Amino acid sequence: MRRWVPGLLLSLSLLTTACGGAGTPVRPSLTARQALSSSPEVVEFESPAVRLELFREIARQSEQEAGQSAQGVALFPIIQGNEFVAAPGFESRADLLQPPDAGSGLQFVFDARTGDRWPEDRRESLQGLSEREAAELVARTLLALWDIQPEGAVQVDRAAGAPYAVAYVDGILRINPAFLYLASAYGPASMAAGLQ
């Protein structure tokens, strides 16, 4: 009888791991850059844990790229002075949907000049917000983080499939909607998912 007990325990352990039990690491099927170049719907239907891991990867890369020339492919390119650089990075624990009060005086224009319009339908994977609402919160947070204080209203363009997450050039903020689905993985909803 003692011979089969270790085998049974090993079998149960393997079965639990194979079925997604505790100890199974989250491995995204996409890299962060692949997620950004994908359609927002592809990213939206990834699990919250995968989206959170991709967001953390982008946050780590943002800190590594900060201040470097953005002539290559930076995730957050901005014009600073007369230079095209990678914006200051943010921590992987940053909740970009919780803008600081400093961003409250900013005005935004979401009317599509050309191309994609911001969808107004609410999405569960955006913590119940629409893409436009999530884009406004992310815009307020990032512009405050980057210490950008525009004189007028900021045009916010939807940049689906762009190789970057968010870019700010000449008063225009271009947000990749796939990034919104990654950024929304952090916050109250992800805290509940992390406890499961």
Side-chain angles (χ1 to χ4, degrees):
M1 180 162 171
R2 291 184 177 204
R3 289 184 178 168
W4 62 271
V5 172
L8 177 64
L9 291 176
L10 178 62
S11 296
L12 286 174
S13 174
L14 291 173
L15 181 63
T16 301
T17 302
C19 293
T24 304
V26 175
R27 290 212 165 79
S29 57
L30 304 166
T31 66
R33 292 206 186 265
Q34 288 172 333
L36 291 174
S37 61
S38 299
S39 73
E41 293 79 16
V42 168
V43 177
E44 177 182 11
F45 293 114
E46 289 287 344
S47 73
V50 167
R51 288 186 290 121
L52 181 59
E53 187 52 39
L54 289 169
F55 174 74
R56 288 177 175 158
E57 181 183 335
I58 286 175
R60 287 188 294 270
Q61 287 180 17
S62 78
E63 290 183 313
Q64 291 171 356
E65 294 176 352
Q68 296 179 11
S69 171
Q71 295 303 328
V73 181
L75 290 172
F76 297 92
I78 63 172
I79 295 280
Q80 193 171 49
N82 291 328
E83 294 185 62
F84 193 49
V85 297
F90 56 88
E91 293 183 0
S92 62
R93 294 184 313 258
D95 186 352
L96 300 183
L97 298 181
Q98 293 293 320
D101 291 338
S104 63
L106 295 171
Q107 295 179 350
F108 298 100
V109 176
F110 289 92
D111 297 332
R113 297 174 301 131
T114 59
D116 291 346
R117 297 185 66 79
W118 287 102
E120 295 281 344
D121 54 319
R122 296 180 181 278
R123 313 295 290 181
E124 182 179 327
S125 50
L126 289 174
Q127 297 184 20
L129 300 169
S130 68
E131 275 190 20
R132 197 205 70 69
E133 292 167 326
E136 182 173 351
L137 294 173
V138 167
R140 288 186 186 286
T141 303
L142 289 178
L143 290 179
L145 175 71
W146 299 339
D147 197 27
I148 294 175
Q149 299 164 354
E151 293 181 18
V154 175
Q155 174 71 39
V156 181
D157 288 348
R158 189 173 189 269
Y164 53 81
V166 179
Y168 182 74
V169 178
D170 298 330
I172 300 172
L173 190 68
R174 296 179 50 82
I175 300 177
N176 187 326
F179 177 66
L180 298 175
Y181 289 94
L182 301 179
S184 66
Y186 191 86
S190 68
M191 297 307 127
L195 296 175
Q196 293 179 357

